[in-house]
Amino acid sequence: MRYINANEILPKDLVVKLQDYVQGEYIYIPAIKEKHKNWGEQSGFREEINKRNKEIIQAYASGNSIQELAESYHLSVYAIRKIIYNK
């Protein structure tokens, strides 16, 4: 989430009205439910994680041990097990 100055995007009269309630503070305006994006969708990180997890599953199916995968991907043995057994 990034910071946006209200003066840059909101009409002046709305900014003045908001200042009746809060000044110099951060305010979170939630997304409309239909437009909400899941974690990592906007940045593309979710897609990268899914790709990595598929690689881990394929490597395990090809004979790599959980310990080898943990060392190779810099993850814990527990995290590798979760990826392998939950997919």
XYZ file of all heavy atoms in Angstrom:
726
model
N 0.852 -1.159 0.000
C 0.000 0.000 0.000
C 0.902 1.226 0.000
O 1.906 1.284 0.687
C -0.884 -0.026 1.257
C -1.884 1.054 1.274
S -3.019 1.068 2.690
C -2.950 -0.552 3.352
N 0.534 2.208 -0.782
C 1.368 3.401 -0.859
C 0.610 4.624 -0.360
O -0.608 4.658 -0.355
C 1.871 3.613 -2.272
C 0.787 3.789 -3.309
C 1.374 3.801 -4.733
N 0.306 3.909 -5.697
C -0.115 5.050 -6.210
N 0.456 6.174 -5.865
N -1.102 5.077 -7.076
N 1.346 5.612 0.028
C 0.807 6.855 0.543
C 0.419 7.753 -0.623
O 1.177 7.904 -1.578
C 1.870 7.507 1.412
C 1.635 8.952 1.750
C 0.816 9.300 2.819
C 2.221 9.966 1.026
C 0.604 10.625 3.148
C 2.018 11.291 1.343
C 1.205 11.622 2.405
O 0.986 12.924 2.732
N -0.755 8.370 -0.571
C -1.204 9.332 -1.574
C -1.691 10.571 -0.839
O -2.487 10.480 0.094
C -2.357 8.764 -2.434
C -1.925 7.496 -3.154
C -2.833 9.796 -3.437
C -3.058 6.789 -3.873
N -1.232 11.734 -1.257
C -1.673 12.981 -0.660
C -3.093 13.281 -1.143
O -3.358 13.329 -2.343
C -0.726 14.111 -1.069
C -1.026 15.407 -0.353
O -2.175 15.764 -0.126
N 0.035 16.128 -0.011
N -4.003 13.478 -0.211
C -5.412 13.722 -0.545
C -5.573 14.938 -1.449
O -6.445 14.961 -2.322
C -6.224 13.895 0.732
N -4.731 15.951 -1.277
C -4.822 17.151 -2.112
C -4.559 16.863 -3.587
O -4.990 17.620 -4.450
C -3.846 18.227 -1.630
C -4.276 18.833 -0.311
O -5.454 19.074 -0.084
N -3.310 19.078 0.568
N -3.862 15.781 -3.861
C -3.534 15.436 -5.249
C -4.666 14.713 -5.967
O -4.705 14.715 -7.189
C -2.275 14.567 -5.282
C -1.035 15.297 -4.800
C 0.173 14.380 -4.724
O 0.098 13.214 -5.159
O 1.210 14.854 -4.214
N -5.580 14.086 -5.219
C -6.593 13.264 -5.888
C -8.035 13.603 -5.538
O -8.947 13.192 -6.250
C -6.353 11.764 -5.622
C -6.458 11.456 -4.137
C -5.021 11.308 -6.196
C -6.540 9.980 -3.829
N -8.254 14.334 -4.456
C -9.620 14.625 -4.018
C -9.974 16.084 -4.269
O -9.103 16.958 -4.221
C -9.777 14.314 -2.525
C -9.536 12.870 -2.105
C -9.627 12.753 -0.584
C -10.516 11.936 -2.778
N -11.251 16.367 -4.492
C -11.680 17.760 -4.631
C -11.427 18.522 -3.328
O -11.512 17.961 -2.232
C -13.187 17.652 -4.894
C -13.450 16.232 -5.231
C -12.350 15.416 -4.661
N -11.110 19.810 -3.463
C -10.754 20.631 -2.301
C -11.854 20.615 -1.241
O -11.561 20.498 -0.046
C -10.459 22.061 -2.737
C -10.121 22.974 -1.578
C -9.095 23.996 -1.956
C -8.748 24.918 -0.812
N -8.001 24.312 0.253
N -13.114 20.690 -1.647
C -14.194 20.718 -0.660
C -14.278 19.409 0.127
O -14.622 19.395 1.306
C -15.538 21.063 -1.311
C -15.936 20.107 -2.419
O -15.048 19.551 -3.078
O -17.158 19.921 -2.618
N -13.943 18.291 -0.509
C -13.935 17.012 0.196
C -12.780 16.955 1.194
O -12.935 16.468 2.313
C -13.857 15.845 -0.789
C -13.855 14.443 -0.193
C -15.068 14.226 0.709
C -13.818 13.392 -1.298
N -11.612 17.467 0.801
C -10.463 17.503 1.707
C -10.809 18.345 2.941
O -10.540 17.947 4.075
C -9.199 18.049 1.001
C -8.065 18.254 1.994
C -8.760 17.117 -0.126
N -11.433 19.499 2.718
C -11.826 20.366 3.835
C -12.796 19.624 4.759
O -12.676 19.675 5.987
C -12.443 21.679 3.305
C -13.068 22.478 4.443
C -11.386 22.504 2.590
N -13.754 18.902 4.193
C -14.722 18.149 5.000
C -14.025 17.041 5.794
O -14.314 16.830 6.969
C -15.805 17.562 4.084
C -16.941 16.940 4.826
C -17.715 17.988 5.606
C -18.930 17.376 6.261
N -19.527 18.258 7.249
N -13.091 16.339 5.161
C -12.344 15.291 5.866
C -11.538 15.868 7.019
O -11.370 15.224 8.060
C -11.421 14.541 4.896
C -12.098 13.572 3.935
C -11.113 13.111 2.859
C -12.660 12.382 4.680
N -11.036 17.076 6.844
C -10.234 17.708 7.890
C -11.063 18.011 9.140
O -10.504 18.219 10.209
C -9.566 18.978 7.355
C -8.429 18.662 6.410
C -7.879 19.888 5.701
O -8.598 20.848 5.450
N -6.597 19.833 5.366
N -12.386 17.998 9.017
C -13.239 18.118 10.203
C -13.091 16.882 11.098
O -13.330 16.929 12.296
C -14.715 18.271 9.817
C -15.027 19.623 9.187
O -14.226 20.571 9.360
O -16.083 19.718 8.520
N -12.720 15.779 10.506
C -12.638 14.504 11.222
C -11.208 14.092 11.563
O -10.952 13.507 12.602
C -13.294 13.392 10.399
C -14.754 13.630 10.164
C -15.194 14.282 9.019
C -15.706 13.240 11.097
C -16.543 14.527 8.806
C -17.057 13.478 10.900
C -17.465 14.131 9.751
O -18.792 14.374 9.548
N -10.277 14.352 10.651
C -8.889 13.921 10.870
C -7.955 14.868 10.123
O -8.253 15.309 9.015
C -8.688 12.449 10.425
C -8.897 12.282 8.944
C -7.329 11.930 10.823
N -6.815 15.189 10.786
C -5.814 16.059 10.164
C -4.431 15.502 10.430
O -4.127 15.118 11.553
C -5.897 17.478 10.733
C -7.160 18.209 10.381
C -7.140 19.628 10.926
O -6.087 20.201 11.162
N -8.318 20.186 11.129
N -3.616 15.451 9.400
C -2.232 15.018 9.549
C -2.063 13.571 9.944
O -1.022 13.182 10.462
N -3.061 12.750 9.723
C -3.017 11.330 10.064
C -3.215 10.499 8.799
O -3.700 10.994 7.790
C -4.127 10.982 11.059
C -4.065 11.730 12.365
C -2.927 11.296 13.266
O -2.484 10.135 13.152
O -2.485 12.116 14.083
N -2.870 9.246 8.884
C -3.142 8.320 7.791
C -4.563 7.810 7.950
O -5.027 7.558 9.053
C -2.180 7.136 7.817
C -0.752 7.521 7.532
C 0.186 7.545 8.554
C -0.345 7.859 6.256
C 1.487 7.901 8.309
C 0.962 8.219 5.990
C 1.876 8.240 7.023
O 3.166 8.585 6.773
N -5.233 7.632 6.848
C -6.579 7.074 6.872
C -6.657 6.001 5.791
O -6.183 6.196 4.675
C -7.653 8.166 6.678
C -9.047 7.599 6.810
C -7.494 8.878 5.364
C -10.136 8.666 6.895
N -7.185 4.863 6.157
C -7.316 3.746 5.221
C -8.708 3.775 4.618
O -9.702 3.824 5.333
C -7.088 2.415 5.943
C -7.361 1.215 5.077
C -6.492 0.854 4.057
C -8.509 0.451 5.255
C -6.750 -0.231 3.252
C -8.773 -0.643 4.460
C -7.884 -0.974 3.456
O -8.134 -2.059 2.657
N -8.772 3.751 3.298
C -10.052 3.697 2.603
C -10.113 2.330 1.927
O -9.375 2.068 0.978
C -10.181 4.833 1.576
C -10.044 6.175 2.288
C -11.499 4.719 0.823
C -9.955 7.366 1.386
N -10.963 1.437 2.438
C -10.992 0.071 1.909
C -11.501 0.025 0.473
O -12.272 0.886 0.044
C -11.950 -0.659 2.853
C -12.743 0.402 3.513
C -11.919 1.643 3.512
N -11.050 -0.988 -0.247
C -11.490 -1.198 -1.622
C -12.920 -1.717 -1.635
O -13.366 -2.372 -0.691
C -10.576 -2.205 -2.317
N -13.619 -1.431 -2.697
C -14.944 -1.990 -2.902
C -14.771 -3.493 -3.053
O -13.851 -3.964 -3.726
C -15.602 -1.387 -4.158
C -15.768 0.121 -3.971
C -16.931 -2.046 -4.460
C -16.180 0.856 -5.230
N -15.633 -4.254 -2.414
C -15.481 -5.707 -2.361
C -15.270 -6.318 -3.755
O -14.434 -7.194 -3.935
C -16.692 -6.334 -1.681
C -16.461 -7.717 -1.193
C -17.578 -8.175 -0.294
C -17.062 -9.314 0.553
N -17.976 -9.681 1.604
N -16.008 -5.841 -4.750
C -15.898 -6.400 -6.103
C -14.566 -6.062 -6.764
O -14.148 -6.732 -7.699
C -17.039 -5.892 -6.997
C -18.417 -6.358 -6.588
C -18.998 -5.563 -5.423
O -18.684 -4.359 -5.288
O -19.747 -6.167 -4.633
N -13.908 -5.017 -6.302
C -12.638 -4.595 -6.899
C -11.430 -5.013 -6.067
O -10.296 -4.743 -6.435
C -12.626 -3.077 -7.082
C -13.630 -2.594 -8.104
C -13.493 -1.115 -8.325
C -14.488 -0.655 -9.386
N -14.325 0.762 -9.686
N -11.673 -5.669 -4.932
C -10.589 -6.072 -4.035
C -9.703 -7.119 -4.708
O -10.185 -8.048 -5.342
C -11.165 -6.642 -2.735
C -10.130 -7.111 -1.791
N -9.362 -6.241 -1.046
C -9.697 -8.353 -1.483
C -8.514 -6.944 -0.315
N -8.697 -8.217 -0.557
N -8.410 -6.951 -4.556
C -7.451 -7.911 -5.093
C -6.854 -8.699 -3.940
O -6.607 -8.163 -2.866
C -6.343 -7.188 -5.859
C -6.850 -6.520 -7.110
C -5.733 -5.901 -7.881
C -6.310 -5.245 -9.123
N -5.310 -4.612 -9.928
N -6.634 -9.964 -4.172
C -6.020 -10.811 -3.152
C -4.552 -10.458 -2.992
O -3.937 -9.842 -3.865
C -6.170 -12.287 -3.530
C -7.592 -12.756 -3.411
O -8.331 -12.309 -2.542
N -8.000 -13.647 -4.295
N -3.989 -10.926 -1.882
C -2.600 -10.657 -1.575
C -1.701 -11.060 -2.739
O -1.805 -12.152 -3.271
C -2.194 -11.433 -0.315
C -0.756 -11.263 0.023
C -0.208 -10.282 0.786
C 0.330 -12.081 -0.409
N 1.145 -10.446 0.855
C 1.504 -11.541 0.126
C 0.421 -13.206 -1.217
C 2.751 -12.092 -0.101
C 1.674 -13.758 -1.445
C 2.815 -13.196 -0.885
N -0.823 -10.150 -3.153
C 0.180 -10.441 -4.164
C -0.291 -10.338 -5.598
O 0.507 -10.476 -6.524
N -1.556 -10.107 -5.850
C -2.056 -10.035 -7.221
C -1.568 -8.785 -7.939
O -1.169 -8.850 -9.099
C -3.587 -10.047 -7.244
C -4.184 -11.406 -7.035
C -5.696 -11.397 -7.124
O -6.325 -10.378 -6.800
O -6.234 -12.430 -7.526
N -1.609 -7.660 -7.279
C -1.226 -6.410 -7.918
C 0.264 -6.369 -8.230
O 0.668 -5.935 -9.300
C -1.615 -5.223 -7.037
C -1.409 -3.894 -7.721
C -2.052 -2.761 -6.951
O -2.820 -2.989 -6.033
N -1.750 -1.545 -7.313
N 1.080 -6.848 -7.327
C 2.531 -6.803 -7.508
C 3.050 -7.960 -8.354
O 4.165 -7.904 -8.862
C 3.232 -6.838 -6.151
O 3.040 -8.101 -5.524
N 2.266 -9.013 -8.494
C 2.713 -10.192 -9.233
C 3.458 -11.189 -8.360
O 3.896 -12.233 -8.835
N 3.598 -10.881 -7.074
C 4.357 -11.761 -6.186
C 3.655 -13.099 -5.987
O 4.302 -14.133 -5.884
C 4.606 -11.072 -4.841
C 5.623 -11.763 -4.002
C 6.935 -11.870 -4.425
C 5.283 -12.329 -2.794
C 7.888 -12.523 -3.653
C 6.219 -12.977 -2.017
C 7.525 -13.071 -2.449
N 2.320 -13.102 -5.949
C 1.566 -14.347 -5.795
C 1.913 -15.302 -6.937
O 2.112 -16.491 -6.741
C 0.057 -14.038 -5.754
C -0.865 -15.231 -5.880
C -0.688 -16.347 -4.873
N -0.667 -15.905 -3.508
C -0.077 -16.584 -2.526
N 0.506 -17.735 -2.754
N -0.071 -16.132 -1.298
N 1.998 -14.771 -8.149
C 2.339 -15.599 -9.314
C 3.745 -16.169 -9.191
O 3.985 -17.338 -9.525
C 2.224 -14.748 -10.580
C 2.276 -15.539 -11.867
C 2.003 -14.665 -13.077
O 1.025 -13.897 -13.050
O 2.776 -14.777 -14.045
N 4.683 -15.368 -8.691
C 6.059 -15.842 -8.498
C 6.110 -16.970 -7.473
O 6.820 -17.961 -7.671
C 6.960 -14.694 -8.032
C 7.252 -13.673 -9.093
C 8.152 -12.564 -8.565
O 9.095 -12.870 -7.798
O 7.905 -11.398 -8.917
N 5.370 -16.819 -6.379
C 5.330 -17.858 -5.344
C 4.742 -19.144 -5.906
O 5.264 -20.235 -5.653
C 4.507 -17.378 -4.120
C 5.192 -16.203 -3.430
C 4.245 -18.516 -3.135
C 6.473 -16.537 -2.717
N 3.654 -19.033 -6.665
C 3.040 -20.222 -7.266
C 3.998 -20.926 -8.215
O 4.081 -22.157 -8.228
C 1.744 -19.854 -7.987
C 0.626 -19.507 -7.028
O 0.666 -19.872 -5.858
N -0.357 -18.771 -7.511
N 4.746 -20.147 -9.002
C 5.730 -20.729 -9.925
C 6.822 -21.463 -9.140
O 7.196 -22.588 -9.468
C 6.346 -19.623 -10.788
C 7.347 -20.122 -11.785
C 7.954 -18.979 -12.580
C 9.076 -19.507 -13.439
N 9.981 -18.460 -13.893
N 7.331 -20.816 -8.083
C 8.363 -21.441 -7.254
C 7.851 -22.735 -6.629
O 8.544 -23.754 -6.635
C 8.790 -20.474 -6.153
C 9.875 -21.057 -5.239
C 9.862 -20.493 -3.862
N 8.629 -20.837 -3.167
C 8.283 -20.309 -1.995
N 9.052 -19.410 -1.421
N 7.158 -20.673 -1.401
N 6.617 -22.707 -6.127
C 6.055 -23.894 -5.484
C 5.903 -25.041 -6.482
O 6.147 -26.203 -6.144
C 4.733 -23.569 -4.816
C 4.905 -22.683 -3.601
O 6.024 -22.425 -3.152
N 3.806 -22.192 -3.074
N 5.518 -24.748 -7.710
C 5.423 -25.786 -8.747
C 6.795 -26.388 -9.031
O 6.925 -27.592 -9.215
C 4.816 -25.211 -10.026
C 3.331 -24.969 -9.932
C 2.785 -24.363 -11.222
C 1.325 -23.992 -11.055
N 0.789 -23.312 -12.246
N 7.814 -25.529 -9.067
C 9.187 -26.017 -9.279
C 9.601 -26.955 -8.145
O 10.233 -27.990 -8.385
C 10.167 -24.845 -9.357
C 10.058 -24.015 -10.603
C 10.973 -22.789 -10.562
O 11.719 -22.604 -9.575
O 10.925 -22.006 -11.525
N 9.267 -26.585 -6.923
C 9.615 -27.408 -5.763
C 8.920 -28.761 -5.858
O 9.544 -29.813 -5.640
C 9.251 -26.681 -4.450
C 10.203 -25.493 -4.238
C 9.283 -27.628 -3.256
C 9.832 -24.565 -3.106
N 7.642 -28.770 -6.202
C 6.888 -30.022 -6.326
C 7.476 -30.901 -7.424
O 7.647 -32.109 -7.248
C 5.392 -29.724 -6.572
C 4.775 -29.094 -5.310
C 4.638 -30.985 -6.968
C 3.416 -28.463 -5.539
N 7.827 -30.295 -8.555
C 8.422 -31.065 -9.656
C 9.787 -31.622 -9.264
O 10.110 -32.770 -9.592
C 8.546 -30.190 -10.905
C 7.208 -29.878 -11.552
C 7.318 -28.889 -12.696
O 8.356 -28.236 -12.880
N 6.248 -28.758 -13.463
N 10.583 -30.826 -8.569
C 11.902 -31.289 -8.139
C 11.771 -32.444 -7.156
O 12.536 -33.417 -7.214
C 12.688 -30.128 -7.517
N 10.785 -32.361 -6.272
C 10.556 -33.448 -5.312
C 10.119 -34.722 -6.046
O 10.611 -35.809 -5.759
C 9.506 -33.027 -4.286
C 9.229 -34.086 -3.251
C 10.156 -34.381 -2.261
C 8.040 -34.810 -3.272
C 9.906 -35.355 -1.309
C 7.779 -35.787 -2.332
C 8.717 -36.061 -1.346
O 8.471 -37.034 -0.413
N 9.239 -34.555 -7.030
C 8.775 -35.703 -7.808
C 9.906 -36.321 -8.626
O 9.887 -37.515 -8.927
C 7.637 -35.278 -8.737
N 10.912 -35.505 -8.946
C 12.067 -35.998 -9.714
C 13.126 -36.644 -8.840
O 14.151 -37.096 -9.351
C 12.708 -34.836 -10.485
O 11.801 -34.307 -11.413
N 12.899 -36.645 -7.526
C 13.821 -37.358 -6.651
C 14.623 -36.518 -5.684
O 15.380 -37.073 -4.885
N 14.496 -35.207 -5.732
C 15.213 -34.389 -4.761
C 14.609 -34.606 -3.373
O 13.401 -34.740 -3.231
C 15.115 -32.901 -5.113
C 15.891 -32.556 -6.365
O 15.410 -32.793 -7.471
N 17.065 -31.998 -6.196
N 15.469 -34.595 -2.370
C 14.971 -34.769 -1.000
C 14.430 -33.441 -0.465
O 14.755 -32.364 -0.980
C 16.088 -35.275 -0.086
O 17.010 -34.229 0.179
N 13.631 -33.541 0.577
C 13.083 -32.339 1.204
C 14.212 -31.478 1.755
O 14.188 -30.252 1.625
C 12.068 -32.724 2.299
C 10.821 -33.328 1.637
C 11.712 -31.533 3.167
C 9.783 -33.863 2.594
N 15.216 -32.105 2.344
C 16.369 -31.371 2.877
C 17.100 -30.620 1.770
O 17.463 -29.448 1.923
C 17.319 -32.322 3.599
C 18.489 -31.635 4.269
C 18.058 -30.703 5.387
O 17.199 -31.046 6.192
N 18.638 -29.515 5.440
N 17.318 -31.263 0.624
C 17.988 -30.608 -0.504
C 17.184 -29.402 -0.993
O 17.744 -28.340 -1.281
C 18.167 -31.589 -1.663
C 19.180 -32.686 -1.421
C 19.158 -33.756 -2.507
O 18.103 -33.961 -3.147
O 20.212 -34.374 -2.702
N 15.884 -29.591 -1.084
C 15.026 -28.497 -1.546
C 15.031 -27.340 -0.549
O 15.061 -26.172 -0.957
C 13.606 -29.002 -1.776
C 13.456 -29.994 -2.926
C 12.073 -30.630 -2.915
C 13.712 -29.311 -4.258
N 15.022 -27.642 0.721
C 15.062 -26.602 1.749
C 16.337 -25.769 1.616
O 16.290 -24.533 1.670
C 14.965 -27.219 3.135
N 17.440 -26.438 1.414
C 18.716 -25.728 1.261
C 18.760 -24.945 -0.047
O 19.218 -23.805 -0.086
C 19.870 -26.721 1.338
C 20.048 -27.320 2.711
C 21.035 -28.470 2.751
O 21.734 -28.715 1.737
O 21.101 -29.130 3.803
N 18.275 -25.543 -1.102
C 18.303 -24.911 -2.417
C 17.431 -23.664 -2.492
O 17.798 -22.661 -3.100
C 17.864 -25.925 -3.471
O 17.812 -25.334 -4.740
N 16.252 -23.711 -1.879
C 15.310 -22.599 -1.944
C 15.352 -21.699 -0.708
O 14.558 -20.772 -0.595
C 13.887 -23.129 -2.162
C 13.661 -23.603 -3.583
C 13.894 -24.925 -3.935
C 13.223 -22.725 -4.559
C 13.696 -25.369 -5.239
C 13.023 -23.152 -5.861
C 13.255 -24.468 -6.197
O 13.060 -24.891 -7.493
N 16.276 -21.999 0.211
C 16.432 -21.205 1.436
C 15.127 -21.135 2.229
O 14.710 -20.070 2.694
C 16.949 -19.798 1.113
C 18.200 -19.806 0.302
N 19.420 -20.177 0.834
C 18.419 -19.527 -1.008
C 20.329 -20.105 -0.112
N 19.755 -19.712 -1.235
N 14.475 -22.290 2.346
C 13.251 -22.424 3.129
C 13.468 -23.490 4.186
O 14.389 -24.304 4.083
C 12.076 -22.829 2.230
C 11.643 -21.823 1.167
C 10.634 -22.454 0.223
C 11.056 -20.580 1.811
N 12.610 -23.505 5.180
C 12.712 -24.537 6.205
C 12.164 -25.861 5.660
O 11.386 -25.881 4.699
C 11.925 -24.130 7.450
O 10.535 -24.139 7.175
N 12.584 -26.946 6.285
C 12.062 -28.265 5.920
C 10.542 -28.263 6.097
O 9.807 -28.806 5.263
C 12.731 -29.366 6.781
C 12.027 -30.697 6.628
C 14.214 -29.478 6.420
N 10.071 -27.630 7.152
C 8.634 -27.540 7.418
C 7.905 -26.833 6.262
O 6.855 -27.287 5.808
C 8.403 -26.795 8.737
C 6.960 -26.547 9.047
C 6.130 -27.573 9.494
C 6.409 -25.284 8.903
C 4.798 -27.355 9.776
C 5.073 -25.047 9.187
C 4.273 -26.085 9.619
O 2.953 -25.861 9.903
N 8.474 -25.731 5.763
C 7.848 -24.989 4.657
C 7.815 -25.835 3.384
O 6.809 -25.839 2.664
C 8.597 -23.683 4.407
N 8.885 -26.567 3.120
C 8.930 -27.433 1.933
C 7.864 -28.522 2.055
O 7.142 -28.800 1.087
C 10.327 -28.059 1.750
C 11.379 -26.966 1.467
C 10.321 -29.105 0.649
C 11.222 -26.245 0.151
N 7.745 -29.112 3.217
C 6.714 -30.144 3.421
C 5.316 -29.589 3.172
O 4.479 -30.232 2.547
C 6.794 -30.715 4.831
C 7.918 -31.677 5.020
C 7.812 -32.360 6.375
N 8.936 -33.243 6.564
C 9.709 -33.272 7.636
N 9.451 -32.475 8.658
N 10.723 -34.097 7.714
N 5.044 -28.386 3.691
C 3.738 -27.764 3.464
C 3.467 -27.577 1.979
O 2.355 -27.836 1.515
C 3.662 -26.401 4.171
C 3.343 -26.488 5.631
C 3.292 -25.147 6.329
C 2.456 -24.135 5.616
N 2.359 -22.838 6.340
N 4.471 -27.133 1.236
C 4.298 -26.922 -0.201
C 4.034 -28.243 -0.908
O 3.130 -28.346 -1.736
C 5.558 -26.225 -0.795
C 5.656 -24.807 -0.268
C 5.527 -26.263 -2.316
C 6.989 -24.136 -0.518
N 4.787 -29.260 -0.569
C 4.661 -30.560 -1.248
C 3.341 -31.242 -0.909
O 2.644 -31.743 -1.791
C 5.853 -31.472 -0.877
C 7.128 -30.904 -1.499
C 5.610 -32.900 -1.353
C 8.392 -31.569 -1.005
N 2.977 -31.284 0.353
C 1.825 -32.071 0.774
C 0.493 -31.347 0.687
O -0.547 -31.967 0.732
C 2.051 -32.607 2.180
C 3.251 -33.536 2.248
C 4.258 -33.332 3.162
C 3.368 -34.592 1.361
C 5.370 -34.181 3.216
C 4.472 -35.452 1.399
C 5.467 -35.229 2.332
O 6.549 -36.050 2.371
N 0.515 -30.018 0.541
C -0.742 -29.275 0.426
C -1.158 -29.038 -1.013
O -2.224 -28.494 -1.251
C -0.634 -27.923 1.150
C -0.693 -28.105 2.646
O -1.277 -29.041 3.143
N -0.067 -27.180 3.366
N -0.378 -29.406 -1.943
C -0.716 -29.182 -3.356
C -1.301 -30.424 -3.963
O -0.970 -31.511 -3.682
C 0.535 -28.746 -4.149
C 1.096 -27.445 -3.688
C 0.192 -26.294 -4.034
C 0.752 -24.998 -3.527
N -0.062 -23.888 -3.719
